[in-house]
Each structure stands twice: as structure tokens, then as C-alpha cells.
Amino acid sequence: MSTPLVGQIINLLAAVLLLIVFAMLAQRRLLRLIHLFALQGAVLTLNTLVVAVTLHQSHLYFSVILNLVLKVIVLPWILIRLVDRLDLRRDAESVGNLPLIMLVAVVLVILSFNVALPISELAGTMTRGTLGIAMASVLISFLMMITRRKAVAQVIGFLSMENGLFFAATSATYGMPMVVELGIALDVLVATFIFGIFFFQIRETFDSLDIRNLENLKDRE
Amino acid sequence: MFWLALGLFGLAAPVERGRHARLFFSLSAIGGVVLTVVGLAGLGNWPQAMVLGLGLPDLPFHVRVDPLSSFFILLLGVASAAVSVFSAGYFERGGGGDIRLVCLQYHVFLASMVMVLVADDAYLFMVAWESMALASYFLVITDHRVAEIRRAGFIYLVVAHLGAIAILLAFGVLQLGQWTYTFDAMRNAPLSTGWGAVAFLLALIGFGAKAGFLPLHIWLPEAHPAAPSPVSALMSGVMLKTAVYGLLRVSFDLLQVQVWWWGVLALAVGLATAFYGAVFAAVQTDMKRLLAYSSIENIGVILTGVGLALVFHAYAMNLLAAVALAATLYHCLNHALFKTLLFLATGAVMHATRQRSLGKLGGLIGRMPWVAALALIGTLAIAGLPPLNGFVSEWLLFQSFLLSPGLPNSYLNMFIPIGTALLALVVALSGYVMVKFFGVVFLGLPREESLREAHDAGMAERVAMGWLAAWCVVLGLVPVLFLRALDPIFQLMVGATLRDSLDASSWMFVTAVSPEQASYSPIVFLLVIVAVIVLGGLGLRRWFSVQRRRAPAWDCGFGKRNARMQDTAEGYGQPIKQIFQVFLRLDRHHPSPFDPRPRYHSRIEDPIWERLYVPVARLVDRLSALVGVVQHGRIAVYLVYSFLTLLLLLALIL
Amino acid sequence: MSFSHVLLQLIQGLLAVALAPLVLGWVNQCRAWLQNRSAPSLLQPYRVLLKLLRKEIVLAHNASWLLRCAPYVVFACMVLAACIVPLVATDLPFSLAADVIALVGLFALARVFMALAAMDVGTAFGTLGSRREMLIAALAEPALLMVFFTPALIGHSTALPNIVETFTTGPLQLYPSMAFAAVAFIMVLLAENARIPVDNPSTHLELTMVHEAMLLEYSGRHLALMDWAHALKLMVYMAIGIALFLPWGIARPHDWLGVPLALIAMVVKLMAIGAGLALLETLAAKMRIFKVPEFLGMAFMLAVLGMLIHFLVEA
């Protein structure tokens, strides 16, 4: 029962991450969603920092810096600019049947915890449950992408999914190899740019960012 | 000893020819009291079996009384005593139908329920079960001149028979190739898990049809309002419990092994039923329909307990299974008490006012103080409030839910607590429903002029309701004594005793597993509350002597007010309607604000009826049309069919 | 159970009953300060009570015995609740009489009586208040139960003294799940005690009122008892919150020296929570009644998350 203090802090951060993912799932306003995303990045950074300090692993310090720059500053900044340019500041969308979605998310948490249990026992890190939480964040972000209709929210879901993956890596194996991490970071950055361009294209074509319009692209016989 | 009671019912039934309802119903009330005593005495005894010389040749009836059946006999005795006394007053003043027929059917109904409880072979069980169904069917259609009542009776009959078929099949599976239908043989049948599961599922469907589990609840809200009040009281209070008895008998006694997912299934169905019943009860506008839906809710709670006990027992956590079972049985008895009480109260109200719709009642507390006071006890008990009996069973059920994290299955560990929350919602909603029921019927201003002439219930009715209310209070205050009496059942069914935890602290404190875990003492509740009220009241009188004055209601200075400004039953249920819209099938019409003669109407229907039963009925229609093709009406053709069948059978055998 | 236990029990009960209006006065004062108003005296609730007790009782013509009984029952329930919750010490004889679930039942008893009495006279406002109150309670109860689930899992008990024992005697540990439960509990507290954002305790004569609407037909000593019971309920809820989430300082069994210390700790904690409550009430705006399900749904989700997190990382 007595986990060392560091383990407890990591657990706390994991709990906060789970809370943030749930908040993102329920959040209707785009701007708040981006703020939540930035917060998620910040918690992630803090978590990595804690792990890095305790284990004295120098490559983790790099990923701390990378995280801080990319996920707390750059990506939210790009997203906010995007929202400004697209004039979506006040945009709020209806999130279908919220109680149902929430229940599904709870089921996902339970599921992912039970799936992750054997793996995290193998991993032998300080904390057992964090892998389950990481997996749950990935799945819930996925759920968020499914339930949203607006493209920007979907992108945030995608990015938050990446955050979940990163957290999984930190909690299971204390970070990925540097090369992989850099690669992913670059990917995410580029993906965001591409999405940004894509949004403008969508809007020019349909006058809206509602992705239901994409259904119209299908050939009709 | 139980011969006496059975004989009494048996005798009372055929001899009945007299005009005096009073005599016969009083006699049957004595029978009920005797049964109560028999049941109480039987709780401590070990099973006594007996073979009767009745029945078909070579197929004698086996009977057996063990603590479980004793418990349900007790339940039947308590409730039937009250209902009989009530009926003596109710039918004397001319409540529906031919009194002699009613009397006969009533007693056949009672006797067959006793038979169901003591049967020890499938044959007797089914005979008793069917006669119970038929007797209650005839009682439901006492007012058979009304088309709606005939329809309700028909639906009841169909569902009851579907259930009976499933039960028959379940027994067939249980005996598995031995071709002896005694329960003893079934207990020893070497059943594989697969067949066990089939038997359990069939039993769940079969008894579920009688008890009103979720998709099969459809007959309850139709049949209960149709029947005369004492009959609905008996059906809701006791007959539903015979189904619970059957389920318990099959799943804990006849089936020797349990698999955890049966319990989970029962738990899920139970929670769904409870929730469904609670939401629908909250939006009803007819007194008896409201109570019928509330019965569905309570049956759901009971099934939840059964499911939990099954899960615990499947994992060999017998002590916890005993706690869950204790909650289940306690709730069975509680529901028999307060639901019977409330149905009798509606009977008294209908008698006095000739109104059944909640929208036309109100303010009866001034006219019918006795009925109101006794109904208040029933209301508080059913709403699950301490220190009355409803709370004890709910407390025990919550405790067993809270113990579920000890289960060695991490999925269940996490899902079952969420079920607890659903249960909490159901309990809170039942409080809502009961405040609505009592408030709309008894409080406020009378909504119709005629209500001012309402008269209080007669002596017989008061005695009947008082008897039930007294049981509610006693069972609420000294649960420990009663739980100790139930202990043999737990030993028999799940092989665990609650003695240790019950004896751990004094008789004033109920504990689920250990006093460190949790304890609850209704006596202290009552004593402190009464003490504070008395001391506070006296103190206030002593130091602040003020006078009291009657004046028109303040009502924010609104001035003009009349009875139509109060919330009706519909208004009271409106928030629930709004929030749980998804589950209801609403047909609502809002008038426009400029309409000079605005009319508002809103009707709520059971979506399950539309989505499940109507398609099934259509399917059956279509199939029977197909069968109709081969019918020509010519005898020669039918003979050809028989001939072909015979040939086919011969070919099969050869 | 010795004489000293009974004495302790008596002292705590009387203390709670006596202090409850003061707590309410403190919350009101903080709120007034935060809203740049000059605050009424701390003792104002006492003055109101005294005034009401001296006034004559005016009853509606058709008021029945239920209306007259209800204030006594409600008040008695709250006194009992105040005796059960460990406010200064854990070894109270009455605390065995009820665990948290029975406490919820006790509150429900008081609430049902209040809601029934509100329907007694048959005014539009009374029934409206009654149905809203029952609705809010019905939605708050699942959330409250889930809040209790987590500490019950950690303490292996639903009895408050045992939960307090677990937290005060065990090694200091971070419980993220308890943080979630605490937030959810605060939300339930706001809903159950008719505070902003669910109900506004200072409105009277407004169509949005819930609790006040139920008390419209009361006057004189009945109203005094109802108001007092309301103040007690708020204090008991705070005490439950303290016992679950900030139990440090509550006197252990047979620790008589700890009692004065516990008293000081209690006063400090109540003051802090009261100030926090006033802050929350200043920041938040009252919501529509049909937003309440969402609010309480959020509390429920938080509590469920707390429980899951307990399974995930703490078990």
C-alpha cells in the first residue's frame, strides 16, 4: 500500500490527466478545448520531469524540453491562431448524448485498465495503474474524435491521443528512444500544419467546417 | 402443523355458498394469522417432507416445508390476514361482481399459493402454479363487463402462460434424463454447466413473467388497476413473491452450482427493471398504475439482490452471499407489507371517493385521517426511510454492494459500484414517487367538490391496515431479531451464517459483516428523534408561550387561489418526464399561447410495448396466416394430414 | 460505554446545535465582504431565530397536523445527524447507530417530511418547491453515494469514525481519488443545502426558489425550527466533509486532552470551509433548474472517476 512519494506524485498526475481527457470529452467550446489540451501537455511535461529527476536519465530531459516547447506552447499557439483565422472563437458545438458518451468512456477506462494490468505487471515500473490510464486516454481521445463533428475538435482529439501514447511510453518503459520521440514530434507538428491547410480547403469548398459535408463527396449514381 | 392451515383454506373454498362475505373473509383472516404463526415456527425447523396420497396414480404429490418456504408462508400469512380482514369490509359494502364467485376464487387463489410454496415436485408445483394463475385471472376480470378490464386480463393470461411454459421447460432440463420430477431428484441430477445455464435462463424468464422483470413486466400495470383493490394488493404483495420464491428455489436449491455470469445477468436485469419501474411510476397519473409500476421497481430491487447473492455465491464468498440474500428476503417481506398496505389504502380511497385518477383527488387527510395516517407509514416505509422497514433492506443491499470490491474479478469490481449508483438513483426516485403519491392524494385542497363528502374507512379496513403498518414499524425497529430468525435459510441456501455478525453487537444494532464495517440502529434513531421532539416541544411551550391563529394561506400574498392551481400528479412528475424523456414514449401536445380554448394533453406509453410486443404479435399473426393455408375445413383433408403424420412417424421410428 | 462518553456525546450534540446558526452567520458575513457589502452581525441568525420563536403562529385554514409536525421531525433528524458525525471526537456512542448510508437515509427522512408538508396547504409555490427539492435530491443521491464509495474502499468501512481513524493513523499518502471525491462532495453539498448555483438561499418571492418555496406557509416557531434545521444541515454536511477529507485534529478514542485541540481545529476548519463556500457562491451564478441534472451529473462523473482511479493506481 505504501508507494514511494514519487510514485504517488506520478499517480496524482495520471489521475489529473484522466480528468483532463474526460473534461475534453465533455467540453463544447473550442477555445476551452485548446486550453485543456495545453494543460494536458503541461501535466505530461511535469510527469516526464518527475520521472527524469528520479531516474537521472538525461534523454528524458530532452523530451521534457521538447514537450514543453511543442505541446504547451507551439501547438496550442498554432491551434489558437487557426481558430482565430477561421473565426471560430465563439464556436460551440453540440456534443450528442453526453451522458451516454460519458458512460462509454467509463467503460473504456475499466476495459483498458483490465487489459493493461498484465502488461504493467511485466513492466515493473514504480506504478502499476498508469499504463491503464494512458491507454484509457488514448481510447477516450479516439472516442472524442468519433463524437465530434467539427474538424478542429477532431484534430485536438488526434493530438490528445498522441499525448496519451507519449504518457504510455513514459509510464511503461520510461520514455521512447530519442530518435523515435523526435520523429513523432516532427510528425505531429507537420500534421498540424497540414490539417491547418486542409481546414482552409474544406471551408473554401463547403463554407463550413462541419465534416458531415464530406459525405457529399461520394459519387451519387 | 401446516395441514391445519391448508385444510382451512381448502375447506373454506368449496363450502362457500353463503351470502355473508364477512364470515368467510374473517375465517380466512384467521387462516392467515395461523399461517403467520406456522411460518414463524417453521423458520427454525429443519425441512419436513411428506408424500400426499393425492394426485395421479403413481404420481403422488410431494410436499416439503423448509425454512425458505416457511419464510414465504409467513409473508403470505401476514399479507393475506390483512387483505382478508379488509375484504370483509370492502366486499360487504358491495365492491364489484358476484360475491360468491369472488369468494371462491379468492380462496382458491390463496390455497394455490400455499401449494406452490410447499410443493416438492415439479408436478404439484405446476398444478398449483397454474391454478394460481387462473384464479388470479378470474379475480382480475371480476368486473368483466368493462372491455379494458377484459383486455388487461387477457394480456395477463398470455404472459402468465408464456412464463408457465418456460418454467415447465426449466424443470424438464433440471431433471435431465431421470424422468422423475421430484425436487430431490433434481437436486442430485448431475447437471453440466451448460444445461444448468439453460435451466437458469428458462427459470429467469418463466418466473420473470410472473414477477414482472423488464421485458415481461407488461401485464402488471394493466392487471393491477383492473382488479379490485384487495386482489391487486394480494397479487402485488404476495403473488409476485411466489415468483421470487421459485427463482430462489431453482437457482440456490435445485441448481447446485452457480456461475458468476448468471448473477451478473440477474443483477443487470434487476437494475434495469428497478430503474424502469421508478421512472414510469414517477410519471403516472392513476393511483393504481403508479403503485403497479412501483411494484415493478421493487421487484427489480429484489432481483438485484438475488443477482448479487448469486455472484457472491459463485465465487464461494458465502458470508457476503448471505448478506445479499438477507437483503433480498427482507425486501420481499417489506414489499409484501407496504405495497399491500398502500393498495388497501387506495381501495379505501376509491371506496370513499369513487375516484382513481390522481388528478381528481386531494386533501383527503382531513376527511380520512385514519387512512391518511396509516398510508403515511406505508409511504415512508416504501420510500426507504429510517427507522421503518424499507430502509433496513435497502441498507443491507447497499452494504452488500459496498462489499463487492472483494470479488476476485476486476471487471466486476469496477462495474458493480456503478450499479450501486443506479440503485441509489432508484431509491431516491422511489422517494419522489411516494411523496407524489401521498401528497397528491391526501394533501392540499380537494380537487373535486365531491371529495368533501368522503368518509373514513370502516373498522375492518382500519384494522387490516393497522396490522400491516404495525408490522412495518416492528420490522423496521428490531431487524436484528428478525434476521436471526432468518438465519436457517442462509445456512440452507448459501451455507453461511450471519449469526456471528448479528451477535457481535447488541440487538439494537444491525451489522452487515462486522461492526467495524458498518452498523445501523433504528431504535436509536427513533428514540433520539422522539426525545428531541418531546424535549423541544416542551421547551418551546415552556419558554415561548405564543398563540396560534388560523388565517388564509399566505402563498406569497397571491390571494386568489383554488384547487386547480396546485400541482397535479402530472405536474409533479413533469421534471422526471423532462429529464428521462429518452426512456419514455411521449405523446404531448402543447397549445399555442393564442389559442382561446387551450387544451393540453400528454400521454405516456411504454416503449417496450411498441418496440417488442407489437412486432412479435405481428410476426405471430403472419405465421398463423401461413398455418391457415393448410386449413381447408374439409374433413377428408384433415384425415389425409393425420395419415401422412402417422406414416412419417413410422418412417422415423423404423 | 462510560459516563464520559455520554458526556462527550451530549456536549458535541449541544455544541453543534448551538453553533449552527453561527456558521451560517459566518458564511453570510464572508459573502457580504466578498460582494462589497457591509455584513450583518455574526449573531444575526440568532436574533432572527429568537424573534421568530416569540412570534405567534399563523396557520392556513386547511393546514393539517402534518404541517405542524414536520418542523419538529426535520429538526430532530438534523440534531441526530449532528450527534452521529464525528465533529470533535470519534468515539461517540451514537456514531455506531448510523454509517454514512444511514445518514443519507436520515437526511432523506427530513427531506420527505419537508416536501410533504410543503404540499399540505396546497399552494402552487409549495408543490413547486416540493417537486424541485425531490428532483434535486434524487439526482444528488447517486453522486453522494459514489462520493462515499471511495473513502469506504480505502477505510474498509462506511462508518465515519473508522474512516477518520484510517486517514489519521495511517502513513501520510496522496490519494488522488480523494481529491476527486472531495470536489464531487462539494458540488453535492451545494445542491443539497440549497446554495448557489443550485438554489439561492437569499431569495424569497422568486419563481426560481426551491427551499424557500417549501417554507412559505410557515411562521413563528415552526419557521424558526425549519431555519435552524437548515443551518444544522449545512453544518453537518461540512462536518461530514471534514471527517472524510480533512480529518486531522479530530480527537482519537480515549484522548481527552485532544478534545480542546479538536475544538480549535474544528472552528478553524469550519471557518475556512465557510469562507470557501462564500467564495464559490460569489463566483457562481444560479443556474436553470434543468441545468441541475448536468451539474449533478458532473459531480457523479467526478465521483466515479475518483473511484476508478482508486482501483487504478491506489489499490
Side-chain angles (χ1 to χ4, degrees):
Chain A
M1 196 64 200
S2 57
T3 337
L5 185 67
V6 185
Q8 288 182 31
I9 292 175
I10 292 176
N11 280 343
L12 183 66
L13 292 175
V16 174
L17 268 184
L18 191 62
L19 180 66
I20 292 175
V21 178
F22 265 88
M24 287 170 87
L25 188 63
Q27 186 53 257
R28 296 194 180 101
R29 291 189 179 271
L30 218 46
L31 214 55
R32 295 243 184 98
L33 205 56
I34 297 170
H35 292 160
L36 278 174
F37 171 69
L39 195 64
Q40 191 187 31
V43 174
L44 211 54
T45 312
L46 199 60
N47 180 53
T48 324
L49 187 65
V50 171
V51 175
V53 170
T54 19
L55 296 177
H56 306 293
Q57 298 216 340
S58 52
H59 81 268
L60 277 178
Y61 286 109
F62 283 109
S63 74
V64 169
I65 294 166
L66 195 67
N67 249 311
L68 189 69
V69 173
L70 193 65
K71 286 174 186 156
V72 186
I73 301 167
V74 177
L75 283 179
W77 180 73
I78 294 176
L79 284 170
I80 290 179
R81 262 184 61 98
L82 206 60
V83 166
D84 270 348
R85 296 269 299 278
L86 291 165
D87 199 21
L88 294 172
R89 242 173 198 283
R90 305 190 150 271
D91 219 40
E93 67 174 321
S94 61
V95 182
N97 185 355
L98 200 56
L100 185 71
I101 294 172
M102 283 300 193
L103 276 183
V104 172
V106 167
V107 172
L108 284 181
V109 174
I110 296 175
L111 208 68
S112 52
F113 172 68
N114 284 295
V115 171
L117 198 59
I119 307 171
S120 52
E121 258 156 24
L122 274 181
T125 43
M126 289 182 276
T127 50
R128 287 196 304 120
T130 40
L131 189 62
I133 290 187
M135 210 150 159
S137 334
V138 173
L139 289 179
I140 294 173
S141 308
F142 213 130
L143 183 68
M144 180 181 148
M145 289 176 70
I146 294 171
T147 53
R148 295 307 171 110
R149 299 222 178 90
K150 297 282 167 66
V152 182
Q154 283 193 322
V155 170
I156 296 173
F158 169 76
L159 293 174
S160 133
M161 200 156 90
E162 199 275 331
N163 275 351
L165 277 176
F166 182 82
F167 183 60
T170 338
S171 57
T173 58
Y174 296 131
M176 295 173 266
M178 204 60 224
V179 188
V180 179
E181 206 165 292
L182 276 174
I184 291 179
L186 204 64
D187 271 359
V188 167
L189 199 62
V190 171
T192 315
F193 278 121
I194 293 175
F195 276 129
I197 297 163
F198 191 50
F199 289 158
F200 283 103
Q201 289 297 330
I202 295 179
R203 203 173 60 157
E204 249 167 51
T205 321
F206 297 115
D207 253 356
S208 148
L209 272 180
D210 198 324
I211 51 161
R212 271 179 302 180
N213 287 319
L214 293 181
E215 288 163 17
N216 298 340
L217 291 178
K218 205 164 60 176
D219 275 343
R220 294 262 162 82
E221 274 109 76
Chain B
M1 228 181 353
F2 83 97
W3 278 115
L4 184 69
L6 191 65
L8 192 116
F9 278 132
L11 275 179
V15 171
E16 190 284 326
R17 277 283 176 271
R19 304 271 282 267
H20 241 285
R22 194 164 202 156
L23 175 71
F24 283 101
F25 281 112
S26 313
L27 270 182
S28 76
I30 296 170
V33 176
V34 171
L35 271 186
T36 311
V37 176
V38 170
L40 264 180
L43 275 178
N45 294 340
W46 281 108
Q48 294 172 327
M50 209 175 280
V51 181
L52 295 188
L54 296 167
L56 297 178
D58 295 337
L59 252 178
F61 287 152
H62 296 76
V63 293
R64 179 166 177 271
V65 180
D66 67 356
L68 183 68
S69 35
S70 299
F71 171 77
F72 281 91
I73 289 174
L74 165 73
L75 181 152
L76 170 67
V78 175
S80 68
V83 176
S84 299
V85 172
F86 188 88
S87 311
Y90 186 86
F91 287 116
E92 189 190 23
R93 287 198 245 149
D98 182 353
I99 181 68
R100 286 174 302 175
L101 268 178
V102 169
C103 196
L104 174 71
Q105 287 149 5
Y106 178 83
H107 289 109
V108 171
F109 185 36
L110 284 182
S112 57
M113 281 198 282
V114 179
M115 300 266 276
V116 166
L117 296 179
V118 299
D120 196 33
D121 62 66
Y123 175 46
L124 176 60
F125 189 91
M126 287 317 294
V127 169
W129 188 261
E130 282 298 292
S131 46
M132 179 175 89
L134 279 179
S136 53
Y137 165 70
F138 284 120
L139 284 169
V140 166
I141 56 158
T142 306
D143 281 329
H144 53 82
R145 280 177 197 85
V146 186
E148 252 177 59
I149 289 180
R150 282 202 304 274
R151 178 173 170 268
F154 179 69
I155 293 174
Y156 170 48
L157 203 62
V158 170
V159 177
H161 277 92
L162 275 179
I165 291 168
I167 295 172
L168 198 62
L169 289 176
F171 283 136
V173 173
L174 276 171
Q175 56 82 29
L176 201 71
Q178 303 185 25
W179 306 112
T180 42
Y181 285 90
T182 58
F183 284 174
D184 246 346
M186 291 180 193
R187 270 181 210 113
N188 300 324
L191 222 55
S192 68
T193 324
W195 281 116
V198 171
F200 176 77
L201 288 179
L202 282 170
L204 192 66
I205 294 170
F207 292 116
K210 188 61 102 184
F213 298 157
L214 192 50
L216 299 165
H217 67 283
I218 209 85
W219 63 272
L220 252 151
E222 304 296 328
H224 280 14
S229 285
V231 176
S232 353
L234 214 52
M235 282 172 72
S236 186
V238 186
M239 192 184 74
L240 301 187
K241 305 305 172 317
T242 59
V244 176
Y245 163 81
L247 188 63
L248 285 174
R249 175 66 74 200
V250 169
S251 50
F252 282 99
D253 191 15
L254 301 187
L255 284 166
Q256 289 299 311
V257 272
Q258 280 96 26
V259 186
W260 64 270
W261 64 262
W262 304 355
V264 174
L265 181 70
L267 192 69
V269 174
L271 283 171
T273 309
F275 176 71
Y276 206 81
V279 170
F280 271 84
V283 295
Q284 292 308 311
T285 53
D286 177 310
M287 268 200 299
K288 292 179 86 177
R289 274 181 94 90
L290 182 145
L291 288 182
Y293 273 112
S294 153
S295 286
I296 295 175
E297 174 224 315
N298 278 289
I299 283 292
V301 171
I302 290 170
L303 181 62
T304 308
V306 176
L308 210 53
L310 273 172
V311 172
F312 283 133
H313 198 225
Y315 282 111
M317 300 166 86
N318 290 348
L319 188 63
L320 303 188
V323 177
L325 199 61
T328 310
L329 292 177
Y330 217 100
H331 203 72
C332 280
L333 184 57
N334 288 342
H335 183 241
L337 294 169
F338 43 60
K339 190 48 65 67
T340 312
L341 174 56
L342 289 180
F343 263 118
L344 294 184
T346 60
V349 168
M350 278 169 66
H351 230 280
T353 62
R354 314 231 160 268
Q355 295 288 1
R356 214 174 70 184
S357 162
L358 285 168
K360 298 191 170 166
L361 292 161
L364 290 175
I365 196 169
R367 303 277 139 212
M368 314 176 71
W370 277 96
V371 176
L374 293 171
L376 180 64
I377 293 179
T379 309
L380 296 179
I382 200 173
L385 298 175
L388 293 168
N389 59 349
F391 184 71
V392 179
S393 48
E394 266 157 24
W395 188 82
L396 283 171
L397 196 56
F398 276 125
Q399 289 300 334
S400 45
F401 262 111
L402 282 162
L403 292 167
S404 66
L407 286 170
N409 179 332
S410 52
Y411 280 99
L412 292 184
N413 277 342
M414 295 185 192
F415 276 118
I416 292 181
I418 296 173
T420 322
L422 194 56
L423 185 69
L425 180 65
V426 168
V427 170
L429 277 179
S430 80
Y432 189 102
V433 171
M434 283 306 135
V435 169
K436 166 178 161 172
F437 171 77
F438 189 82
V440 173
V441 175
F442 293 105
L443 302 176
L445 296 169
R447 290 184 177 78
E448 297 272 309
E449 266 316 299
S450 62
L451 295 186
R452 298 198 187 276
E453 276 103 60
H455 54 86
D456 207 351
M459 202 56 198
E461 278 110 321
R462 278 186 221 168
V463 169
M465 289 164 67
W467 157 262
L468 289 169
W471 272 88
C472 281
V473 174
V474 170
L475 281 185
L477 288 181
V478 286
V480 178
L481 301 184
F482 192 69
L483 282 174
R484 277 184 197 158
L486 291 190
D487 204 51
I489 303 181
F490 312 138
Q491 292 178 18
L492 196 75
M493 307 274 290
V494 292
T497 170
L498 287 179
R499 277 252 155 221
D500 300 334
S501 64
L502 289 175
D503 291 342
S505 45
S506 71
W507 60 273
M508 294 197 307
F509 296 91
V510 199
T511 53
V513 178
S514 71
E516 286 79 40
Q517 174 76 32
S519 55
Y520 157 63
S521 167
I523 295 263
V524 171
F525 268 51
L526 187 73
L527 286 182
V528 174
I529 289 177
V530 168
V532 172
I533 291 175
V534 170
L535 287 179
L538 286 180
L540 288 179
R541 293 242 152 94
R542 171 94 178 64
W543 289 308
F544 304 96
S545 59
V546 293
Q547 64 246 21
R548 195 185 296 148
R549 183 159 63 87
R550 291 272 179 176
W554 154 232
D555 198 18
C556 277
F558 190 63
K560 286 179 193 167
R561 102 196 146 100
N562 61 38
R564 299 204 42 171
M565 289 180 186
Q566 309 172 80
D567 260 17
T568 53
E570 214 179 313
Y572 208 89
Q574 188 263 347
I576 300 287
K577 222 191 280 184
Q578 178 109 9
I579 291 171
F580 297 106
Q581 232 169 14
V582 212
F583 300 100
L584 312 167
R585 226 171 72 86
L586 263 181
D587 172 22
R588 208 160 29 166
H589 168 73
H590 288 289
S592 108
F594 305 107
D595 198 341
R597 303 189 47 163
R599 290 191 71 81
Y600 164 83
H601 90 101
S602 144
R603 222 173 55 176
I604 290 161
E605 272 170 39
D606 206 327
I608 288 184
W609 180 255
E610 189 74 10
R611 289 193 201 137
L612 184 69
Y613 283 80
V614 174
V616 168
R618 269 195 215 121
L619 191 70
V620 171
D621 257 0
R622 219 164 288 156
L623 286 180
S624 48
L626 275 183
V627 174
V629 172
V630 296
Q631 301 215 339
H632 293 280
R634 274 173 56 194
I635 293 188
V637 178
Y638 290 125
L639 284 176
V640 169
Y641 288 155
S642 313
F643 184 65
L644 287 178
T645 314
L646 205 61
L647 281 184
L648 195 70
L649 283 176
L650 279 173
L652 272 178
I653 291 167
L654 295 173
Chain C
M1 200 194 299
S2 63
F3 174 70
S4 52
H5 284 107
V6 178
L7 194 69
L8 192 65
Q9 175 74 72
L10 215 63
I11 290 174
Q12 183 190 314
L14 290 177
L15 195 72
V17 174
L19 281 185
L22 194 66
V23 173
L24 198 62
W26 167 250
V27 175
N28 287 340
Q29 195 159 45
C30 288
R31 203 155 59 142
W33 286 336
L34 284 168
Q35 294 168 353
N36 277 336
R37 291 185 283 129
S38 56
S41 145
L42 259 183
L43 301 178
Q44 189 60 30
Y46 291 102
R47 290 189 195 132
V48 173
L49 283 183
L50 204 65
K51 184 186 76 183
L52 285 175
L53 283 175
R54 288 203 188 114
K55 285 219 166 199
E56 69 169 348
I57 300 168
V58 184
L59 287 172
H61 286 303
N62 64 330
S64 73
W65 48 268
L66 196 71
L67 188 86
R68 282 186 284 141
C69 288
Y72 294 97
V73 176
V74 172
F75 183 70
C77 285
M78 292 310 157
V79 172
L80 178 58
C83 290
I84 290 166
V85 177
L87 203 55
V88 287
T90 54
D91 56 344
L92 304 168
F94 281 173
S95 66
L96 270 179
D99 63 340
V100 278
I101 296 172
L103 266 180
V104 173
L106 191 61
F107 288 129
L109 178 67
R111 182 189 316 122
V112 164
F113 260 93
M114 209 181 329
L116 280 177
M119 294 180 81
D120 186 47
V121 177
T123 61
F125 285 113
T127 41
L128 167 149
S130 156
R131 84 169 114 106
R132 286 180 182 169
E133 170 85 5
M134 291 312 289
L135 174 76
I136 292 170
L139 297 170
E141 219 154 88
L144 189 59
L145 201 82
M146 290 316 282
V147 169
F148 289 146
F149 222 105
T150 309
L153 281 176
I154 296 173
H156 298 290
S157 168
T158 49
L160 277 174
N162 297 338
I163 295 174
V164 172
E165 284 285 289
T166 316
F167 284 115
T168 47
T169 55
L172 198 63
Q173 201 182 346
L174 285 177
Y175 288 107
S177 58
M178 289 299 276
F180 283 63
V183 176
F185 181 78
I186 292 171
M187 293 167 83
V188 174
L189 183 146
L190 292 173
E192 285 266 333
N193 286 286
R195 314 300 299 183
I196 288 178
V198 176
D199 184 12
N200 190 347
S202 51
T203 54
H204 200 82
L205 300 187
E206 226 188 82
L207 282 173
T208 55
M209 61 189 166
V210 181
H211 178 77
E212 285 296 321
M214 293 197 292
L215 304 185
L216 279 179
E217 297 304 322
Y218 280 111
S219 57
R221 87 166 54 116
H222 295 152
L223 184 56
L225 281 178
M226 281 296 204
D227 281 347
W228 204 341
H230 193 54
L232 251 175
K233 186 178 180 187
L234 180 64
M235 180 161 164
V236 170
Y237 258 90
M238 285 181 177
I240 294 175
I242 289 172
L244 291 180
F245 307 110
L246 301 164
W248 297 277
I250 296 175
R252 312 257 329 273
H254 310 295
D255 181 13
W256 301 109
L257 290 176
V259 173
L261 209 66
L263 269 176
I264 298 171
M266 177 198 79
V267 171
V268 172
K269 283 187 273 190
L270 281 178
M271 280 177 72
I273 294 181
L277 195 63
L279 184 68
L280 275 181
E281 286 198 273
T282 310
L283 293 177
K286 179 164 173 347
M287 57 175 89
R288 286 192 297 131
I289 186 86
F290 283 113
K291 283 277 170 195
V292 172
E294 213 167 275
F295 178 75
L296 288 170
M298 210 149 82
F300 175 72
M301 274 315 293
L302 277 172
V304 169
L305 274 183
M307 186 201 70
L308 286 180
I309 280 170
H310 171 73
F311 280 121
L312 291 173
V313 299
E314 287 160 16

